Amino acid sequence: MTITEVSKIYNLTPDTLRYYERIGLLPSVNRSKGGIRNYTDEDCRWVEFAKCMREAGLPVEILIDYVSLFQKGDETIPARKEILLEQRGILSGKIEELKKTLEKLD
């Protein structure tokens, strides 16, 4: 798929997708001989993961570290799991705070 097609599917701008790739939030996307990005199903799963995590408020830097570890192979699974568990704890705390705020508003 082209960057335009992927951007429409995930409701992200092509510039955002280029930025995510440039900073290492997405693994490098293969390109055609003409230099056009050709997103595979796996690339799209990374886009979906990045979008989901960013919408949940995870910091870009944390996600870049996660992708970097992923690219180093299975020996990094414990470190990746630790990152996700830590971020889950932070997100869970935020959800509890939001619930308290919602209760006050109610």
Side-chain angles (χ1 to χ4, degrees):
M1 278 190 280
T2 66
I3 195 167
T4 302
E5 293 168 326
V6 172
S7 70
K8 287 179 183 175
I9 290 170
Y10 295 101
N11 197 29
L12 296 167
T13 67
D15 285 341
T16 298
L17 291 170
R18 287 185 200 97
Y19 172 71
Y20 281 179
E21 186 180 352
R22 187 173 62 251
I23 65 172
L25 188 57
L26 299 176
S28 294
V29 176
N30 291 325
R31 295 177 185 242
S32 70
K33 291 179 183 176
I36 296 172
R37 286 174 176 82
N38 182 23
Y39 286 82
T40 63
D41 289 341
E42 183 176 346
D43 295 328
C44 288
R45 286 190 293 275
W46 277 108
V47 170
E48 186 175 9
F49 173 77
K51 181 179 179 183
C52 176
M53 296 298 113
R54 288 298 297 138
E55 286 177 347
L58 273 70
V60 169
E61 297 81 8
I62 297 293
L63 295 172
I64 291 169
D65 290 344
Y66 180 87
V67 173
S68 176
L69 287 169
F70 180 87
Q71 292 175 324
K72 292 178 182 174
D74 287 348
E75 66 273 6
T76 66
I77 288 173
R80 287 185 275 150
K81 183 177 180 179
E82 184 61 33
I83 287 172
L84 294 177
L85 289 173
E86 182 179 331
Q87 292 305 307
R88 184 188 188 287
I90 292 169
L91 185 57
S92 181
K94 289 179 183 177
I95 290 170
E96 289 305 315
E97 288 299 316
L98 288 171
K99 284 180 181 178
K100 290 176 186 175
T101 302
L102 187 57
E103 287 173 8
K104 288 180 182 179
L105 287 171
D106 289 343

